[in-house]
Structures are given as structure tokens and as C-alpha cells.
Amino acid sequence: MKRLVIVSAFLVCIVGYAQQQEPLLTLDVKNQKQWVDSIMTNLTINQKIGQLFMVQAYSNKDKKHQNFIKRMIRKYHIGGLIFMQGTPEKQVRLTNIYQSKSKIPLLIAFDGEWGLDMRLKNTFRYPWNMTLGAVQNNTLIEQFGYQLGKHCKRVGIHVNFAPVVDINTNPKNPIIGNRSFGENKYNVAKKAIAFTKGIQSMGVLANAKHFPGHGDTSTDSHKTLPFLDFDLKRLDSVELYPYRQLFDSDLASVMIAHLNVPSLEPKEGVPTSMSYKVVTELLKKKMNFNGLIFTDALNMKGAANYAKPGDIDLAAFLAGNDILLIPEEIKQAVKKIKNALKNKMFSQERLNQSVRKILLAKYHVGLNNFVPIKGEGIKDDIITTKDKLLYRSLMKEAITLVKNDDATLPIRDLAKAKIAYIKLGDSDHLSFTNTLKKYTQVDIISHENLTGLLQRLKPYNTVIIGYHKSNKTPWEGYKMSNEELIWLQEISKNHKIILDVFASPYTLLDISDFSVIDAILISYQNSNISQEISAQMIFGALEIKGKLPVTIKNMFPEGTGITTPNLLRLSYSIPEDVGMNSKLLTKIDSVTRMVVDSSMAPGGQVLVARYGKVIYHKSFGYHTYNKKQKVRLTDLYDLASVTKILGGLPLIMKSEEMGLFNLNTTLGKILPYLKETNKDTITIKQALSHTGKMKAWIPYYLETIDSITKIPFNKYYSEIKNKDFSIKVAKDLYLINSYTDSIYKKIAETPQRAEMGYKYSGLVFYLFKKYIKNTFSKEMDYLDNEEFYKPLGATTLTYNPLNKFNKSEIVPSEVDNYFRNQTLQGHVHDMGAAMMNGVSGNAGLFGNSNDVAKMMQMYLQEGYYGGKRYFESKTIHKFNHRYYESDSIRRGLGFDKPQLNSEDKATSKYASTNSFGHSGFTGTYTWADPETGILYVFLSNRVYPTMSNNKLGEKNIRTEIQDLIYESIIE
């Protein structure tokens, strides 16, 4: 008796709830009601009772099942179907069939909490609600609801049983967990409202579940009847809060859970779904809900254990539910309800109330004018670029940093970082590690025992530990094993540790000591996109913004979330993220296929970025025409003259910026050995603009080989390295040390061109190598690496790559039969650079497209990259300027620039005058455009097997691809 008094008091206290609007009514309410009335007038009792039932249907079952559904429609006049497993195409086909069999259009429902993927194969999957709970921008949640509404509508779904609004305050909850937005009732309500607004704007009814609240249970209602021993004050303030907010936002429907809540239903063992006090007195009368009310599935043990089939359905209807979801035995259910009406256990008006609501809902979703669903093009309509972009946006907003001692994240100083990755968990990690490796060298370390692992980790100062668990469903296990917990603690004792959890945040509950872990990142799910985005955040290419949706012990309260800055490193996305068209960009694929098929080059790499985001990055073809080794994105190419702007020019610009010379300084001033020569008075500005009347190049090697046999003279070369012959020209071929002075002497003495004006020449970049060594007492390759490549994380940008990389990682350039008489693989193709020990300002640099892009993006960002300023902005502008444009000379200082008038085609016809770049003799090319934000890298070995093959240049392939890139810009 005492409990009944409490219940009554509770119901009185919530009488003050605002009257909900009529969420099932449409704008043309008059026509809607006329349609409902016209149907109600002609319905028999059997047909009215049939409208109450929603039967489960499958699109992956046989004819027997399809005939069963047809029989349910024909014999029992069922009002709706909830589709389960299958494919969207089959579901659409069956929906059309079933609708054609039904006199009254069927209401089609679906469990699609995170998208159609929850039930259907080959559909789009959005993140779990727990992941979305970390997102602070609720506009994105509304967009998610909108997109899911589009998907549902496309395949003929009228009701989506989402959002889940259970407030997950119990980490041990076995059935809600990741399906909840979290433990904060305000956050849950806001997310649910945003989702509901989005999905219902598409004419699909949302459904809040599981009323009155399934979040604080430790049992699964699919298997038993969960017990909630909360008082009324707690229920009103927590579990019911999001429902009240949703009712004010025109929520269309609610699902009643199978729960044992004594404070709401005193009668022992009565599930909330069968309780008149819960469904009618609380939900309908006191909370003023006027939308559709569904039971949870009546075949779940939380309901099925309560009574026999038929009796369950009757009890649920008597409680006040409108739609009886997944009845166990419809024949018995119809019989029981019909007899109950006959025996006046409820009135016909009560039956009419539910049927009218069901019909109002059917009109609301357009079933008054049902048109068979189009079967063609479903996949393109439900897996769209908008969905992919939105998924990325949601993950970028969700991933959460809960601990960040000493600003461990983002990793800034790549020059000093020695990074290892260790995998924990039992799921895939490749997208994560592949993306990590785009930023710098990250070594994957593993060992069968802890002792061996710790030994292998000794050389590293930073360890990234990825904990990867299955992303298959939100119910998958997330707990670390005891062994993993021990390993985590032991590894953390002697290294800077970044723990990245690709699973539920509840994973952290079993960690005993957080003090030894420097940074903890919660990435929530182990999807490929989550892995890619999380890796980008670790290196500061993306900000971290998420807030923890649940509390972890007393360490990390709900709402914890440390934000990090964007260091302006390259990030990786899809074309539409930067206003480009994916389909148009794929035209590049056909061009690169043609390059290989037409023997323009054996293979290559193409990278396209815009606004600092790489949106096209593909390799094509093979290392050679024997097609034994495919080109990988990590493979290194001989960059040839691209070295000028990535190897020589950076040190020239830095020297000028340091005040060591100015643009009008003469070569004789910085290199005294040129005094009194014809190079003495050439200014740096003239030399770098190619207006200093220097020869294009000098074939130094010719005097060192037999002109007939092409065999190197013994006085110049040795097959063995020694103190006198230490300049490595190629494999087993060493040049005499004294020849370096001969090269500089030849440059000094060679006659100047007679005519004034422009003539491309690489000689100045040889000279600057000498200047750099004289000035800094260090070689160019060392300085480039220390000043630029290492801090940029451009680990493949290197001279003499065989010192660092396996030969198989380096693409061959040419089969040299005129000088070195061998296949050049890892040795610079340019003969002059080879005679400078592989290091020169004009050639010698190797690298992959990703690392070339880092240097070019640094230039695009006016000298800033990765949280570090490499140049002042004015320096970049100074060198990216045409000083002789009035003389029809297109060049900047070192940088190539777009063609003027009818000059040879240096770049795309669409490139702006501010754009800059360079091409390379081996078939390489890179270009950047500050006005459009476009960065482009093309690498190939068109000189294989012979440099006489110049089809690539003759057909302007590199710039033709660049045209395609510009034509792909849509905004």
C-alpha cells in the first residue's frame, strides 16, 4: 500500500509536464483525417486488430518465409513489418511485393541505430551512439539523422527504432553500452533531439527507446527481465529527462522496454511493457505523449517469460501500447484480443484510438499514396560522398584526449622522436599504422614475450600503443586481458607512452595505474576511418575536440576532453572535403594506365592535395617493364631536377634569410675562386633566374671514359673504394677525389653564352654546394636532412638512398650503357651529381611523393609546417617572384613558374601566376598553387630503360594530369 501511495505522488508531481503537440499530424491535417476516416469506416474488427501487429520479415530467407509473410497480410491483416537481416535490394523488392498484397499500406519499420548497416549488408555504417556522445557539435548529429532518414526513405522504411536515449550510467550494462550517447542526461537529450529533428525532416518517424530507461541495468532484456530498483525521484530526474525534452520536439514514437521497475509498477514481475501504470498513466496521461507507442520485441525473454503467447500481446495492448512488435504467435494473439473485446475488457473506442494513430502515422509517411520503390541505383543512393564526409566529420569531432602530460600530443619534434608502435587487442591495425608512417618513421615492434619486447623497445623514446578491438557490433567485448594490462604497465615504466583505445572508453576501467601513461586517446571504434583520423591527430594534422561521454573511475569525469592545436601538417581525406569531385579525379587513373600501356614509363606515383589535405594518392604500374614488382606509395624515385627546389634552394633561401648575402650579391663575392672569371659578376638573382648567360650543363663525365667503348678510364675510377677513390658514382665504381676540383674549375672556365636572356642552367646549384660546404663546414645532404627533412618527417627525402633503404624500395632509373654500364637503382641518374658523390644542388635527391608533398606544403604555408617555422613568409615570396617578367622570362628564383604567352608548357593552363614548382628529367614533377591551394606531385621513371624515351614529355602527360586536377575543382 505504501508503494502505491508513492506512485500516486510521483504521478501527481509530473502532471505539470507540458502538453505535447500532435506529432503524428501533418500540415494538411484535414486531408489526413479524411483519409483516416475513410479507411476506419470500412475496417472490420479483424482488420482493426490486425493493424496492431508488426511482424518481423527477412530479405535473406527462402520462399517459405515469404509465403508466411503473405499469409500474415492476407489472413490477419497485419499493419506493419519490421525488416531484419538481408540486403537493401532484396528488401525493396519484397516490400513492393508485400505492399501489393495488403489492402491497407504496411508501415515498415527497422532497427537502424547506426544506419542501415545494423541489419542490412552492403549499406552505410555510422558511428555508435557512444562515439557520437563525444561530439560537441550537435549540428552534425542532426545531419546524421537527416542522412539516415534519406537512406530509410530510399528503401521504403517509415519508422526507424532510434534514437536510443537510455542514459548509460552502468558500465556493466551488457546490451546498451555503446548504443547510448553516454551518462549525461543533458547531452543524451540534446543528441537525441538533434537526431530526431534530422530524421523526421525526411518524413521518417523517429522512435525513442527504451522507455522508461534501460541504461542502468546489468542484465539483457533479450535474455531475462532486468530489475531497476530506483525511486521515483531518481527516475524522474535521470531516466525520464530525455523523453520530456523529446516530447517537446515532436518525437513521433516511443518504444517500451521490458523492465522490472517496482517504483513504477508495484505488481511483482510485470514488465513495464505490460504495465498500464507505465504506458497509459505515466507515458500517455502524465507525460502527455500523443505519438505511436511500440512495445519492444515481444519474443524477448524479458516479455516472453511473463505469460504465454497471446496473453503477452493482450497484456501489452491493455497496458496502452499501439503496436505489438514481433508477436510470438499471431493466431493466438488475435484470438485473445478479439475475445477480450467481446468480453468488454477494453472498448472498441480504445481499439479505434490505436488504429487511428497507426493510420495517422501511415499518412504522415506518405502511405496514402504509396508508389512502388525504385529498385535501380539503390547502392549509389545510400552510400554517398555526403555520408563518407559526415562520417569523417563525426569521428574528427568525437575522438577524445583524456590525458596529456607535458603536452605529449601532438608529437611536435619529429627530428628527435624515435617512435615504436605496439599492438594490443585482437583486431586490425593496418590503417592506423599505415597513416602513422605517413608522418615519420614508425617501427612496428612485436615479440612473443614481455622480456623480449622490452629489449627491442630500448632504442625508442616514444611508444604508441594501439588497443584494437572488433568494430563488428557495439556489443563486442572491449576488456583488456590480464596479460595486456601487465604489458601496458611494464612498457610504460621506461618510455613516453601514447595509449590509443579503439574501443569503448570503459576499456580504461581495468587499468590500475594511469600515472605512467603520458597520453590517453579514446578513438572509440576500430574502423578504418577512426584509425586514420586518430593517427593524424597524434601528429597534429587535425585538432582533437571530443569530450568523454562517460566517467572512468575517479580519474576522468564525464566531459573530460583536452583540446589540441592543428600543427598544419598534411592531413588525408577525400576530394569532396576540399571542394573537389572524386569522379572527375578518377580520370587520372585512366591516364596513368595509358602511361604504362603506352610504355611512357613503367610506373609511378601521383599525389594531389588541396588546402593541406591529401585527397588523391595512388601508385601505378611497376618498377620495370618486366612487371615483377608493383610500385608502392612508399617506394623512392630519383627526383632529378626537382632536387633544385627541394635540396639546393632551401639552403640558398636559408642563407639569404640569415643575411649571408642578398639577391644582388655576386657569385664572385660568395665564392672567391670565381673572382676574375666570367662568373664573377653574375648576381644570385640572375643565376637563379637563369639569366646569367651560363651554359645549360657540362658533360664532365665524357673526358673520364673511352669515347668508343664507354669504359671508364682507370686513372679516374676504381672498382674498390679507398682513400684516393672515395666518390661513389655507382655500384663498384669510385671516382678519384681530386676530380671534384676539376668540376668546379670547368664551371669557372667554361665560356659564357654570347646571347643575353633566358637559358635554363643547373650550374649554379653545383656552385652552391661548394658555398654551403665552405660556409657551414658541413655537406649539403647533412644540412638538408637536419634542417628540413628530419623535422618535417620527410624520412624518404635523401641523397644516396642505399645508405638508408633496401634496394627493393628504390625504383630503378635507367639501364646506363654510356657511362656506368649498369642498371641505376639507388644511384643518382644525373651524371654530374653522381660525380659529386651523389650530392648536388641540381640533382641527387630521392624520395616518395608523400615526402615531396611535405616540402611543397611547407612552401605553400609560407615557410610554416608541423608547428615549426622554417622560413619567414617574406623569404618565400622573395624567391617565388619573377624578377625578369618584363623580359618574358617566366622563372622565379630557383622555382619554375607558369609559362608566359607561347612559351613551352611548363604547367597547367589553369595554374595561377603565383604558382610554382619544378620538373625533373627522370619523369618527375611537382607544383603548388597558393591561389587554389592545389599541390601536385607526379613521380615516374620514364628514363627506364633508356632516357631516349621521352613520350611522357612529348605528350605533356604531367601537365595534362594537372589540368584534370584543376577541372575537378567544384568550389
Side-chain angles (χ1 to χ4, degrees), residues 67 294 368 444 470 473 485 508 525 572 637 653 711 761 849 888 932 949 956:
N67 290 333
F294 292 78
N368 57 305
I444 300 175
S470 173
T473 73
L485 290 167
L508 301 181
Q525 296 184 228
Y572 301 83
Y637 278 85
M653 289 194 294
I711 296 175
S761 171
S849 52
S888 299
T932 59
N949 173 21
N956 290 318

Side-chain angles (χ1 to χ4, degrees), residues 156-337:
I157 294 167
H158 309 118
V159 183
N160 187 12
F161 292 133
V164 173
V165 297
D166 299 318
I167 299 170
N168 204 85
T169 51
N170 188 342
K172 296 181 180 179
N173 194 320
I175 192 61
I176 304 303
N178 277 324
R179 299 165 67 198
S180 166
F181 290 117
E183 69 179 47
N184 184 310
K185 65 181 182 181
Y186 303 108
N187 187 41
V188 170
K190 289 175 182 177
K191 296 287 187 295
I193 290 170
F195 174 87
T196 297
K197 182 178 179 181
I199 196 168
Q200 291 192 168
S201 69
M202 281 304 301
V204 175
L205 307 184
N207 179 275
K209 62 185 185 185
H210 306 80
F211 188 88
H214 206 319
D216 198 352
T217 66
S218 57
T219 52
D220 181 356
S221 55
H222 292 83
K223 301 175 181 178
T224 187
L225 184 64
F227 180 76
L228 276 73
D229 192 20
F230 302 132
D231 61 25
L232 302 172
K233 183 177 180 181
R234 151 64 191 263
L235 288 166
D236 184 43
S237 66
V238 179
E239 276 74 15
L240 295 179
Y241 177 82
Y243 289 97
R244 295 200 299 271
Q245 303 305 308
L246 280 164
F247 295 167
D248 289 338
S249 302
D250 289 329
L251 174 74
S253 69
V254 165
M255 179 180 285
I256 310 296
H258 309 309
L259 302 170
N260 181 3
V261 188
S263 58
L264 293 180
E265 175 49 71
K267 190 173 181 180
E268 186 175 352
V270 176
T272 46
S273 54
M274 315 293 163
S275 170
Y276 184 84
K277 291 183 179 298
V278 171
V279 181
T280 297
E281 293 186 5
L282 173 58
L283 177 60
K284 295 169 76 171
K285 294 183 178 180
K286 304 306 178 184
M287 296 185 75
N288 300 310
F289 181 64
N290 296 314
L292 271 183
I293 302 173
F294 292 78
T295 67
D296 206 340
L298 295 174
N299 62 348
M300 293 165 57
K301 293 300 182 182
N305 289 344
Y306 173 67
K308 294 179 180 179
D311 292 327
I312 297 172
D313 306 82
L314 175 59
F317 180 70
L318 292 175
N321 292 285
D322 299 311
I323 295 183
L324 310 175
L325 186 64
I326 311 181
E328 283 195 285
E329 177 49 69
I330 197 166
K331 180 178 179 180
Q332 288 298 320
V334 170
K335 181 178 179 181
K336 292 283 184 178
I337 292 173

